[in-house]
Amino acid sequence: MKRVRIRAVLLAVSLLFAALPLSSCARPALYTATFLDTFDTALTVQAVSADRAEAENAIREVHTLVLELHRQFDIYHEWSGVTGLWTVNDSAGDGEPVPVSRDVIDLLTLGRTAYELSGGMVNVCLGAVLSLWHDARLDGTYVPDTGTLQEAARHTSIDSLVIDEADSTVRLTDPGCSLDVGAIAKGYVTARVRDLLAPRLEDGRLTGFLFDLGGNVLALGTPPDKAAWAVAVRDPLTGGTLVTHYVSDTAVVTSGVDQRAFTVGGETYHHLIDPGTLMPGDKWLSVTVFVPAGYDVEYPDELAFSDALSTTLFLMTREEGEALMSRVGRGISALWVLPDGSTAVN
């Protein structure tokens, strides 16, 4: 079924640069900005620099990059002048390759890698199933029935996705297939932001940067007069802080039941869908991964995979998850929150 073409309306942007007062202008200061127009969530960035203009320029460039990627990866709206995932989904089964950007090619290539590493737990071609849950969540009064979910699952083969890197085109061979990159997009964006900021951190123009895209956190360098950034892990039972970790050059990514959830008949359903059962995963309340964010790696790397990793661990047993972490890269750790609220770490 073809989607109705609509023009997306830009959400309001809230931008505030605030510097911590310091006794000397030569000392690094902290500048903060918040944006509300990317990936349907809040983007908060904090830059540390002795040069206010350098910090503000870095923040603006990060926002510009994330906004550009948001428009290309958006599957719910058509953006004027943008040929991205909306167009690929709308053209499913047409037989014509869709010209896309290098970022779309790299994102979907990452999606294939995520599918292989996760044993199919993360599947960018699961859109037909995920859209049913998305619509039910927006309505809030029903749960997709089993028959409808099973019919949609017939159109989720990763083989329907054809990527031509040489020509920079993508097509879906199954007209009932659709892409959903919710499990990988923020990780990819995080890696791109790291690459954008790396030269500034390496030459000292910035001494720290904190990037928070809806709870996907990237901590680079350090804040003023401190050895590490304080990053809170959310308690999925209370909504408060479960634990605070002090990190530098690390991504902290959480997948949990308390986000994007709705309740029907006294039962709560979250957005992390197990492709095997077509229902929300029930092994954990949340899983948080801590992934090194070094500057000297080439894409694709474990930082780009961080979003997919937290989702996959949420759907796997702990033993399966630890085996996966050892395959993805060194220095990765995880915090699991069990259904009774207790925790486990590796």
Side-chain angles (χ1 to χ4, degrees):
M1 179 181 295
K2 299 297 184 183
R3 292 170 173 77
V4 177
R5 292 181 180 269
I6 62 175
R7 186 179 301 279
V9 178
L10 187 65
L11 297 176
V13 179
S14 170
L15 173 60
L16 172 63
F17 288 110
L20 292 178
L22 296 172
S23 58
S24 169
C25 63
R27 295 177 61 191
L30 180 67
Y31 300 86
T32 300
T34 297
F35 306 89
L36 303 176
D37 58 350
T38 61
F39 291 91
D40 298 319
T41 190
L43 165 62
T44 299
V45 286
Q46 300 182 61
V48 184
S49 179
D51 184 334
R52 180 187 182 104
E54 186 64 50
E56 293 181 353
N57 286 338
I59 288 173
R60 289 192 182 96
E61 287 189 30
V62 166
H63 174 239
T64 297
L65 171 63
V66 177
L67 183 59
E68 176 186 332
L69 295 176
H70 161 72
R71 291 172 175 173
Q72 293 183 58
F73 300 166
D74 193 346
I75 63 172
Y76 298 110
H77 307 105
E78 181 187 27
W79 291 86
S80 177
V82 176
T83 303
L85 297 187
W86 192 96
T87 309
V88 176
N89 282 348
D90 192 57
S91 303
D94 286 358
E96 292 298 322
V98 178
V100 294
S101 71
R102 187 70 224 181
D103 280 307
V104 171
I105 293 291
D106 285 346
L107 176 75
L108 295 179
T109 301
L110 174 66
R112 281 195 170 278
T113 301
Y115 182 87
E116 295 166 2
L117 286 173
S118 69
M121 290 292 188
V122 171
N123 180 4
V124 296
C125 289
L126 197 65
V129 170
L130 297 181
S131 65
L132 295 175
W133 281 104
H134 174 268
D135 292 346
R137 186 168 64 251
L138 290 181
D139 183 276
T141 64
Y142 72 94
V143 175
D145 67 80
T146 302
T148 303
L149 288 169
Q150 290 175 343
E151 174 59 27
R154 294 179 55 244
H155 302 283
T156 60
S157 172
I158 193 71
D159 294 331
S160 298
L161 172 61
V162 178
I163 304 170
D164 188 328
E165 293 197 39
D167 289 340
S168 197
T169 63
V170 175
R171 63 186 174 95
L172 293 172
T173 58
D174 180 355
C177 183
S178 65
L179 299 171
D180 187 312
V181 295
I184 66 170
K186 291 181 183 177
Y188 179 86
V189 171
T190 299
R192 289 282 276 112
V193 168
R194 184 272 318 277
D195 294 343
L196 175 67
L197 296 174
R200 292 175 168 91
L201 288 151
E202 290 173 333
D203 65 18
R205 284 176 286 165
L206 297 177
T207 56
F209 201 96
L210 190 74
F211 173 84
D212 184 347
L213 182 60
N216 283 54
V217 178
L218 173 65
L220 300 175
T222 60
D225 301 321
K226 294 181 181 179
W229 294 94
V231 178
V233 175
R234 183 182 174 94
D235 187 329
L237 289 176
T238 68
T241 297
L242 177 68
V243 64
T244 299
H245 283 261
Y246 294 87
V247 297
S248 178
D249 295 334
T250 299
V252 182
V253 183
T254 299
S255 294
V257 303
D258 58 328
Q259 301 294 308
R260 301 183 188 176
F262 67 105
T263 301
V264 175
E267 186 83 16
T268 298
Y269 301 87
H270 59 77
H271 73 294
L272 299 167
I273 306 303
D274 185 331
T277 65
L278 307 180
M279 298 294 290
D282 59 3
K283 294 181 176 65
W284 313 101
L285 292 182
S286 73
V287 177
T288 299
V289 295
F290 303 85
V291 180
Y295 311 142
D296 58 346
V297 294
E298 295 182 0
Y299 175 82
D301 60 69
E302 59 267 23
L303 181 59
F305 189 66
S306 60
D307 198 9
L309 180 60
S310 69
T311 300
T312 305
L313 296 189
F314 183 89
L315 298 173
M316 285 181 164
T317 66
R318 182 177 174 185
E319 293 72 22
E320 291 170 334
E322 289 181 336
L324 174 60
M325 284 190 290
S326 68
R327 296 199 303 273
V328 172
R330 295 181 179 180
I332 298 175
S333 60
L335 168 67
W336 289 266
V337 180
L338 284 71
D340 63 3
S342 61
T343 62
V345 297
N346 79 318

mmCIF file of all heavy atoms in Angstrom, residues 241-286:
data_model
loop_
_atom_site.group_PDB
_atom_site.id
_atom_site.type_symbol
_atom_site.label_atom_id
_atom_site.label_comp_id
_atom_site.label_asym_id
_atom_site.label_seq_id
_atom_site.Cartn_x
_atom_site.Cartn_y
_atom_site.Cartn_z
ATOM 1 N N THR A 241 16.938 7.819 38.558
ATOM 2 C CA THR A 241 18.290 7.375 38.229
ATOM 3 C C THR A 241 18.595 6.056 38.921
ATOM 4 O O THR A 241 18.498 5.939 40.143
ATOM 5 C CB THR A 241 19.330 8.422 38.643
ATOM 6 O OG1 THR A 241 19.103 9.628 37.893
ATOM 7 C CG2 THR A 241 20.741 7.933 38.373
ATOM 8 N N LEU A 242 18.954 5.056 38.138
ATOM 9 C CA LEU A 242 19.332 3.759 38.675
ATOM 10 C C LEU A 242 20.771 3.795 39.183
ATOM 11 O O LEU A 242 21.068 3.349 40.291
ATOM 12 C CB LEU A 242 19.189 2.683 37.596
ATOM 13 C CG LEU A 242 19.605 1.264 37.973
ATOM 14 C CD1 LEU A 242 18.636 0.705 39.011
ATOM 15 C CD2 LEU A 242 19.618 0.367 36.733
ATOM 16 N N VAL A 243 21.654 4.343 38.373
ATOM 17 C CA VAL A 243 23.069 4.447 38.734
ATOM 18 C C VAL A 243 23.696 5.523 37.861
ATOM 19 O O VAL A 243 23.232 5.789 36.750
ATOM 20 C CB VAL A 243 23.783 3.090 38.542
ATOM 21 C CG1 VAL A 243 23.787 2.687 37.077
ATOM 22 C CG2 VAL A 243 25.204 3.125 39.095
ATOM 23 N N THR A 244 24.724 6.167 38.362
ATOM 24 C CA THR A 244 25.458 7.168 37.587
ATOM 25 C C THR A 244 26.852 6.641 37.284
ATOM 26 O O THR A 244 27.567 6.199 38.187
ATOM 27 C CB THR A 244 25.562 8.493 38.350
ATOM 28 O OG1 THR A 244 24.247 9.007 38.590
ATOM 29 C CG2 THR A 244 26.356 9.527 37.546
ATOM 30 N N HIS A 245 27.212 6.685 36.010
ATOM 31 C CA HIS A 245 28.545 6.258 35.592
ATOM 32 C C HIS A 245 29.352 7.486 35.161
ATOM 33 O O HIS A 245 28.815 8.425 34.569
ATOM 34 C CB HIS A 245 28.452 5.273 34.433
ATOM 35 C CG HIS A 245 28.055 3.892 34.837
ATOM 36 N ND1 HIS A 245 28.951 2.873 35.020
ATOM 37 C CD2 HIS A 245 26.834 3.364 35.124
ATOM 38 C CE1 HIS A 245 28.316 1.768 35.387
ATOM 39 N NE2 HIS A 245 27.024 2.049 35.448
ATOM 40 N N TYR A 246 30.645 7.456 35.439
ATOM 41 C CA TYR A 246 31.544 8.544 35.064
ATOM 42 C C TYR A 246 32.420 8.053 33.922
ATOM 43 O O TYR A 246 33.205 7.113 34.092
ATOM 44 C CB TYR A 246 32.370 8.988 36.275
ATOM 45 C CG TYR A 246 31.491 9.601 37.346
ATOM 46 C CD1 TYR A 246 30.878 8.798 38.315
ATOM 47 C CD2 TYR A 246 31.229 10.972 37.354
ATOM 48 C CE1 TYR A 246 30.039 9.354 39.273
ATOM 49 C CE2 TYR A 246 30.395 11.538 38.318
ATOM 50 C CZ TYR A 246 29.803 10.715 39.265
ATOM 51 O OH TYR A 246 28.955 11.266 40.202
ATOM 52 N N VAL A 247 32.241 8.659 32.750
ATOM 53 C CA VAL A 247 32.849 8.120 31.539
ATOM 54 C C VAL A 247 33.482 9.220 30.701
ATOM 55 O O VAL A 247 33.148 10.401 30.801
ATOM 56 C CB VAL A 247 31.804 7.376 30.682
ATOM 57 C CG1 VAL A 247 31.246 6.173 31.424
ATOM 58 C CG2 VAL A 247 30.677 8.311 30.270
ATOM 59 N N SER A 248 34.393 8.798 29.841
ATOM 60 C CA SER A 248 35.001 9.671 28.840
ATOM 61 C C SER A 248 35.280 8.834 27.608
ATOM 62 O O SER A 248 35.640 7.653 27.712
ATOM 63 C CB SER A 248 36.294 10.278 29.379
ATOM 64 O OG SER A 248 36.915 11.101 28.403
ATOM 65 N N ASP A 249 35.096 9.437 26.436
ATOM 66 C CA ASP A 249 35.298 8.736 25.165
ATOM 67 C C ASP A 249 34.539 7.408 25.145
ATOM 68 O O ASP A 249 35.061 6.352 24.786
ATOM 69 C CB ASP A 249 36.787 8.511 24.911
ATOM 70 C CG ASP A 249 37.538 9.819 24.724
ATOM 71 O OD1 ASP A 249 36.911 10.807 24.300
ATOM 72 O OD2 ASP A 249 38.744 9.869 25.030
ATOM 73 N N THR A 250 33.261 7.501 25.509
ATOM 74 C CA THR A 250 32.409 6.320 25.639
ATOM 75 C C THR A 250 30.982 6.671 25.241
ATOM 76 O O THR A 250 30.498 7.764 25.532
ATOM 77 C CB THR A 250 32.408 5.799 27.091
ATOM 78 O OG1 THR A 250 33.741 5.436 27.463
ATOM 79 C CG2 THR A 250 31.497 4.591 27.253
ATOM 80 N N ALA A 251 30.311 5.723 24.587
ATOM 81 C CA ALA A 251 28.877 5.845 24.329
ATOM 82 C C ALA A 251 28.122 5.026 25.365
ATOM 83 O O ALA A 251 28.539 3.914 25.703
ATOM 84 C CB ALA A 251 28.540 5.366 22.926
ATOM 85 N N VAL A 252 27.023 5.584 25.862
ATOM 86 C CA VAL A 252 26.170 4.897 26.825
ATOM 87 C C VAL A 252 24.769 4.836 26.217
ATOM 88 O O VAL A 252 24.127 5.868 26.025
ATOM 89 C CB VAL A 252 26.136 5.630 28.179
ATOM 90 C CG1 VAL A 252 25.274 4.859 29.175
ATOM 91 C CG2 VAL A 252 27.550 5.835 28.728
ATOM 92 N N VAL A 253 24.310 3.628 25.909
ATOM 93 C CA VAL A 253 23.048 3.452 25.182
ATOM 94 C C VAL A 253 22.161 2.471 25.935
ATOM 95 O O VAL A 253 22.600 1.372 26.284
ATOM 96 C CB VAL A 253 23.294 2.934 23.752
ATOM 97 C CG1 VAL A 253 21.984 2.818 22.997
ATOM 98 C CG2 VAL A 253 24.267 3.843 23.015
ATOM 99 N N THR A 254 20.900 2.871 26.157
ATOM 100 C CA THR A 254 19.967 2.033 26.903
ATOM 101 C C THR A 254 18.749 1.681 26.061
ATOM 102 O O THR A 254 18.188 2.536 25.375
ATOM 103 C CB THR A 254 19.489 2.752 28.180
ATOM 104 O OG1 THR A 254 20.619 3.034 29.023
ATOM 105 C CG2 THR A 254 18.495 1.893 28.956
ATOM 106 N N SER A 255 18.354 0.409 26.124
ATOM 107 C CA SER A 255 17.081 -0.046 25.564
ATOM 108 C C SER A 255 16.249 -0.569 26.723
ATOM 109 O O SER A 255 16.720 -1.410 27.497
ATOM 110 C CB SER A 255 17.301 -1.167 24.536
ATOM 111 O OG SER A 255 17.986 -0.690 23.400
ATOM 112 N N GLY A 256 15.001 -0.064 26.858
ATOM 113 C CA GLY A 256 14.209 -0.467 28.005
ATOM 114 C C GLY A 256 12.710 -0.408 27.764
ATOM 115 O O GLY A 256 12.232 0.118 26.758
ATOM 116 N N VAL A 257 11.966 -0.951 28.739
ATOM 117 C CA VAL A 257 10.520 -1.092 28.614
ATOM 118 C C VAL A 257 9.757 0.179 28.929
ATOM 119 O O VAL A 257 8.556 0.265 28.649
ATOM 120 C CB VAL A 257 9.994 -2.213 29.542
ATOM 121 C CG1 VAL A 257 10.688 -3.529 29.238
ATOM 122 C CG2 VAL A 257 10.190 -1.844 31.020
ATOM 123 N N ASP A 258 10.426 1.164 29.546
ATOM 124 C CA ASP A 258 9.706 2.350 30.025
ATOM 125 C C ASP A 258 9.605 3.457 28.988
ATOM 126 O O ASP A 258 9.056 4.518 29.264
ATOM 127 C CB ASP A 258 10.360 2.895 31.297
ATOM 128 C CG ASP A 258 11.828 3.244 31.088
ATOM 129 O OD1 ASP A 258 12.477 2.577 30.276
ATOM 130 O OD2 ASP A 258 12.318 4.178 31.757
ATOM 131 N N GLN A 259 10.134 3.234 27.805
ATOM 132 C CA GLN A 259 10.051 4.234 26.752
ATOM 133 C C GLN A 259 9.126 3.728 25.640
ATOM 134 O O GLN A 259 9.126 2.553 25.284
ATOM 135 C CB GLN A 259 11.444 4.517 26.173
ATOM 136 C CG GLN A 259 12.432 5.026 27.218
ATOM 137 C CD GLN A 259 12.050 6.385 27.762
ATOM 138 O OE1 GLN A 259 11.815 7.314 27.006
ATOM 139 N NE2 GLN A 259 11.991 6.496 29.083
ATOM 140 N N ARG A 260 8.308 4.625 25.088
ATOM 141 C CA ARG A 260 7.410 4.285 23.976
ATOM 142 C C ARG A 260 6.544 3.072 24.311
ATOM 143 O O ARG A 260 6.501 2.100 23.552
ATOM 144 C CB ARG A 260 8.210 4.028 22.703
ATOM 145 C CG ARG A 260 9.044 5.224 22.264
ATOM 146 C CD ARG A 260 9.749 4.952 20.958
ATOM 147 N NE ARG A 260 10.684 5.988 20.612
ATOM 148 C CZ ARG A 260 11.486 5.962 19.556
ATOM 149 N NH1 ARG A 260 11.448 4.935 18.734
ATOM 150 N NH2 ARG A 260 12.324 6.950 19.304
ATOM 151 N N ALA A 261 5.884 3.141 25.432
ATOM 152 C CA ALA A 261 5.034 2.036 25.873
ATOM 153 C C ALA A 261 3.591 2.501 25.974
ATOM 154 O O ALA A 261 3.305 3.694 26.085
ATOM 155 C CB ALA A 261 5.520 1.502 27.219
ATOM 156 N N PHE A 262 2.669 1.537 25.923
ATOM 157 C CA PHE A 262 1.250 1.847 26.110
ATOM 158 C C PHE A 262 0.601 0.674 26.832
ATOM 159 O O PHE A 262 1.119 -0.447 26.848
ATOM 160 C CB PHE A 262 0.558 2.140 24.774
ATOM 161 C CG PHE A 262 0.460 0.957 23.844
ATOM 162 C CD1 PHE A 262 -0.748 0.293 23.659
ATOM 163 C CD2 PHE A 262 1.568 0.505 23.133
ATOM 164 C CE1 PHE A 262 -0.854 -0.791 22.801
ATOM 165 C CE2 PHE A 262 1.475 -0.584 22.268
ATOM 166 C CZ PHE A 262 0.262 -1.225 22.103
ATOM 167 N N THR A 263 -0.545 0.939 27.459
ATOM 168 C CA THR A 263 -1.212 -0.076 28.277
ATOM 169 C C THR A 263 -2.619 -0.342 27.750
ATOM 170 O O THR A 263 -3.392 0.591 27.505
ATOM 171 C CB THR A 263 -1.282 0.375 29.749
ATOM 172 O OG1 THR A 263 0.042 0.601 30.235
ATOM 173 C CG2 THR A 263 -1.955 -0.695 30.602
ATOM 174 N N VAL A 264 -2.938 -1.615 27.569
ATOM 175 C CA VAL A 264 -4.270 -2.044 27.142
ATOM 176 C C VAL A 264 -4.707 -3.191 28.044
ATOM 177 O O VAL A 264 -3.974 -4.187 28.195
ATOM 178 C CB VAL A 264 -4.280 -2.501 25.667
ATOM 179 C CG1 VAL A 264 -5.653 -3.049 25.284
ATOM 180 C CG2 VAL A 264 -3.895 -1.356 24.747
ATOM 181 N N GLY A 265 -5.878 -3.061 28.650
ATOM 182 C CA GLY A 265 -6.388 -4.121 29.502
ATOM 183 C C GLY A 265 -5.483 -4.458 30.657
ATOM 184 O O GLY A 265 -5.405 -5.624 31.075
ATOM 185 N N GLY A 266 -4.805 -3.463 31.172
ATOM 186 C CA GLY A 266 -3.916 -3.682 32.311
ATOM 187 C C GLY A 266 -2.555 -4.234 31.954
ATOM 188 O O GLY A 266 -1.695 -4.389 32.825
ATOM 189 N N GLU A 267 -2.304 -4.515 30.676
ATOM 190 C CA GLU A 267 -1.019 -5.040 30.214
ATOM 191 C C GLU A 267 -0.262 -3.940 29.473
ATOM 192 O O GLU A 267 -0.833 -3.237 28.636
ATOM 193 C CB GLU A 267 -1.239 -6.221 29.279
ATOM 194 C CG GLU A 267 0.016 -6.932 28.847
ATOM 195 C CD GLU A 267 0.505 -7.952 29.857
ATOM 196 O OE1 GLU A 267 -0.278 -8.326 30.757
ATOM 197 O OE2 GLU A 267 1.674 -8.352 29.745
ATOM 198 N N THR A 268 1.023 -3.805 29.802
ATOM 199 C CA THR A 268 1.838 -2.771 29.165
ATOM 200 C C THR A 268 2.685 -3.385 28.049
ATOM 201 O O THR A 268 3.295 -4.450 28.228
ATOM 202 C CB THR A 268 2.753 -2.090 30.191
ATOM 203 O OG1 THR A 268 1.942 -1.444 31.178
ATOM 204 C CG2 THR A 268 3.624 -1.026 29.516
ATOM 205 N N TYR A 269 2.708 -2.699 26.915
ATOM 206 C CA TYR A 269 3.443 -3.157 25.739
ATOM 207 C C TYR A 269 4.459 -2.080 25.337
ATOM 208 O O TYR A 269 4.091 -0.926 25.156
ATOM 209 C CB TYR A 269 2.478 -3.417 24.582
ATOM 210 C CG TYR A 269 1.409 -4.451 24.900
ATOM 211 C CD1 TYR A 269 0.215 -4.066 25.501
ATOM 212 C CD2 TYR A 269 1.602 -5.790 24.595
ATOM 213 C CE1 TYR A 269 -0.764 -5.005 25.800
ATOM 214 C CE2 TYR A 269 0.622 -6.744 24.887
ATOM 215 C CZ TYR A 269 -0.552 -6.335 25.498
ATOM 216 O OH TYR A 269 -1.517 -7.257 25.803
ATOM 217 N N HIS A 270 5.711 -2.482 25.199
ATOM 218 C CA HIS A 270 6.748 -1.527 24.801
ATOM 219 C C HIS A 270 7.125 -1.733 23.339
ATOM 220 O O HIS A 270 6.556 -2.600 22.651
ATOM 221 C CB HIS A 270 7.968 -1.653 25.717
ATOM 222 C CG HIS A 270 8.594 -3.020 25.718
ATOM 223 N ND1 HIS A 270 9.399 -3.459 24.703
ATOM 224 C CD2 HIS A 270 8.518 -4.048 26.614
ATOM 225 C CE1 HIS A 270 9.815 -4.688 24.953
ATOM 226 N NE2 HIS A 270 9.284 -5.074 26.112
ATOM 227 N N HIS A 271 8.096 -0.960 22.862
ATOM 228 C CA HIS A 271 8.383 -0.909 21.425
ATOM 229 C C HIS A 271 9.480 -1.850 20.953
ATOM 230 O O HIS A 271 9.761 -1.900 19.757
ATOM 231 C CB HIS A 271 8.778 0.522 21.040
ATOM 232 C CG HIS A 271 10.155 0.908 21.514
ATOM 233 N ND1 HIS A 271 10.476 1.028 22.850
ATOM 234 C CD2 HIS A 271 11.288 1.204 20.837
ATOM 235 C CE1 HIS A 271 11.739 1.386 22.970
ATOM 236 N NE2 HIS A 271 12.251 1.493 21.763
ATOM 237 N N LEU A 272 10.100 -2.607 21.852
ATOM 238 C CA LEU A 272 11.206 -3.480 21.467
ATOM 239 C C LEU A 272 10.642 -4.862 21.118
ATOM 240 O O LEU A 272 10.421 -5.706 21.982
ATOM 241 C CB LEU A 272 12.226 -3.571 22.599
ATOM 242 C CG LEU A 272 12.869 -2.231 22.973
ATOM 243 C CD1 LEU A 272 13.618 -2.343 24.290
ATOM 244 C CD2 LEU A 272 13.791 -1.751 21.856
ATOM 245 N N ILE A 273 10.416 -5.067 19.829
ATOM 246 C CA ILE A 273 9.694 -6.240 19.351
ATOM 247 C C ILE A 273 10.658 -7.375 18.989
ATOM 248 O O ILE A 273 11.630 -7.169 18.262
ATOM 249 C CB ILE A 273 8.824 -5.883 18.129
ATOM 250 C CG1 ILE A 273 7.909 -4.705 18.470
ATOM 251 C CG2 ILE A 273 8.027 -7.096 17.675
ATOM 252 C CD1 ILE A 273 6.996 -4.933 19.660
ATOM 253 N N ASP A 274 10.381 -8.546 19.507
ATOM 254 C CA ASP A 274 11.164 -9.747 19.215
ATOM 255 C C ASP A 274 10.689 -10.306 17.867
ATOM 256 O O ASP A 274 9.522 -10.683 17.732
ATOM 257 C CB ASP A 274 10.944 -10.774 20.323
ATOM 258 C CG ASP A 274 11.819 -12.011 20.170
ATOM 259 O OD1 ASP A 274 12.172 -12.365 19.027
ATOM 260 O OD2 ASP A 274 12.132 -12.631 21.203
ATOM 261 N N PRO A 275 11.561 -10.371 16.850
ATOM 262 C CA PRO A 275 11.134 -10.884 15.538
ATOM 263 C C PRO A 275 10.659 -12.328 15.593
ATOM 264 O O PRO A 275 9.904 -12.755 14.715
ATOM 265 C CB PRO A 275 12.395 -10.749 14.679
ATOM 266 C CG PRO A 275 13.222 -9.725 15.359
ATOM 267 C CD PRO A 275 12.954 -9.898 16.820
ATOM 268 N N GLY A 276 11.096 -13.077 16.606
ATOM 269 C CA GLY A 276 10.683 -14.469 16.720
ATOM 270 C C GLY A 276 9.251 -14.624 17.183
ATOM 271 O O GLY A 276 8.514 -15.489 16.685
ATOM 272 N N THR A 277 8.828 -13.799 18.131
ATOM 273 C CA THR A 277 7.476 -13.892 18.675
ATOM 274 C C THR A 277 6.537 -12.830 18.122
ATOM 275 O O THR A 277 5.319 -12.941 18.268
ATOM 276 C CB THR A 277 7.521 -13.741 20.202
ATOM 277 O OG1 THR A 277 7.969 -12.420 20.541
ATOM 278 C CG2 THR A 277 8.450 -14.775 20.827
ATOM 279 N N LEU A 278 7.118 -11.784 17.507
ATOM 280 C CA LEU A 278 6.377 -10.614 17.004
ATOM 281 C C LEU A 278 5.722 -9.822 18.137
ATOM 282 O O LEU A 278 4.846 -8.993 17.901
ATOM 283 C CB LEU A 278 5.319 -11.027 15.973
ATOM 284 C CG LEU A 278 5.820 -11.885 14.808
ATOM 285 C CD1 LEU A 278 4.674 -12.217 13.861
ATOM 286 C CD2 LEU A 278 6.950 -11.184 14.059
ATOM 287 N N MET A 279 6.181 -10.076 19.360
ATOM 288 C CA MET A 279 5.681 -9.411 20.551
ATOM 289 C C MET A 279 6.837 -8.710 21.267
ATOM 290 O O MET A 279 8.008 -9.008 21.012
ATOM 291 C CB MET A 279 5.035 -10.423 21.505
ATOM 292 C CG MET A 279 3.828 -11.155 20.938
ATOM 293 S SD MET A 279 2.422 -10.057 20.631
ATOM 294 C CE MET A 279 1.938 -9.682 22.324
ATOM 295 N N PRO A 280 6.531 -7.761 22.179
ATOM 296 C CA PRO A 280 7.603 -7.108 22.934
ATOM 297 C C PRO A 280 8.440 -8.121 23.713
ATOM 298 O O PRO A 280 7.907 -9.089 24.273
ATOM 299 C CB PRO A 280 6.835 -6.172 23.879
ATOM 300 C CG PRO A 280 5.549 -5.894 23.165
ATOM 301 C CD PRO A 280 5.202 -7.168 22.465
ATOM 302 N N GLY A 281 9.763 -7.915 23.727
ATOM 303 C CA GLY A 281 10.647 -8.803 24.459
ATOM 304 C C GLY A 281 10.366 -8.756 25.958
ATOM 305 O O GLY A 281 9.997 -7.713 26.496
ATOM 306 N N ASP A 282 10.559 -9.907 26.638
ATOM 307 C CA ASP A 282 10.196 -9.987 28.048
ATOM 308 C C ASP A 282 11.317 -10.500 28.957
ATOM 309 O O ASP A 282 11.074 -10.864 30.102
ATOM 310 C CB ASP A 282 8.960 -10.871 28.225
ATOM 311 C CG ASP A 282 9.168 -12.292 27.706
ATOM 312 O OD1 ASP A 282 10.293 -12.614 27.255
ATOM 313 O OD2 ASP A 282 8.206 -13.079 27.756
ATOM 314 N N LYS A 283 12.541 -10.528 28.451
ATOM 315 C CA LYS A 283 13.640 -11.061 29.265
ATOM 316 C C LYS A 283 14.176 -10.052 30.265
ATOM 317 O O LYS A 283 14.654 -10.411 31.349
ATOM 318 C CB LYS A 283 14.771 -11.548 28.361
ATOM 319 C CG LYS A 283 14.421 -12.742 27.495
ATOM 320 C CD LYS A 283 15.602 -13.177 26.648
ATOM 321 C CE LYS A 283 15.264 -14.432 25.854
ATOM 322 N NZ LYS A 283 14.191 -14.204 24.863
ATOM 323 N N TRP A 284 14.144 -8.764 29.918
ATOM 324 C CA TRP A 284 14.757 -7.729 30.748
ATOM 325 C C TRP A 284 13.858 -6.497 30.830
ATOM 326 O O TRP A 284 13.011 -6.283 29.961
ATOM 327 C CB TRP A 284 16.116 -7.303 30.162
ATOM 328 C CG TRP A 284 16.995 -8.444 29.781
ATOM 329 C CD1 TRP A 284 17.207 -8.937 28.528
ATOM 330 C CD2 TRP A 284 17.755 -9.266 30.668
ATOM 331 N NE1 TRP A 284 18.056 -10.001 28.568
ATOM 332 C CE2 TRP A 284 18.422 -10.234 29.871
ATOM 333 C CE3 TRP A 284 17.966 -9.277 32.050
ATOM 334 C CZ2 TRP A 284 19.269 -11.201 30.414
ATOM 335 C CZ3 TRP A 284 18.812 -10.231 32.603
ATOM 336 C CH2 TRP A 284 19.439 -11.176 31.785
ATOM 337 N N LEU A 285 14.098 -5.678 31.861
ATOM 338 C CA LEU A 285 13.446 -4.368 31.922
ATOM 339 C C LEU A 285 14.241 -3.352 31.117
ATOM 340 O O LEU A 285 13.669 -2.466 30.483
ATOM 341 C CB LEU A 285 13.307 -3.893 33.371
ATOM 342 C CG LEU A 285 12.340 -4.672 34.259
ATOM 343 C CD1 LEU A 285 12.271 -4.039 35.645
ATOM 344 C CD2 LEU A 285 10.953 -4.733 33.641
ATOM 345 N N SER A 286 15.552 -3.479 31.142
ATOM 346 C CA SER A 286 16.399 -2.623 30.312
ATOM 347 C C SER A 286 17.784 -3.227 30.206
ATOM 348 O O SER A 286 18.191 -4.053 31.037
ATOM 349 C CB SER A 286 16.492 -1.192 30.872
ATOM 350 O OG SER A 286 17.288 -1.151 32.036
#
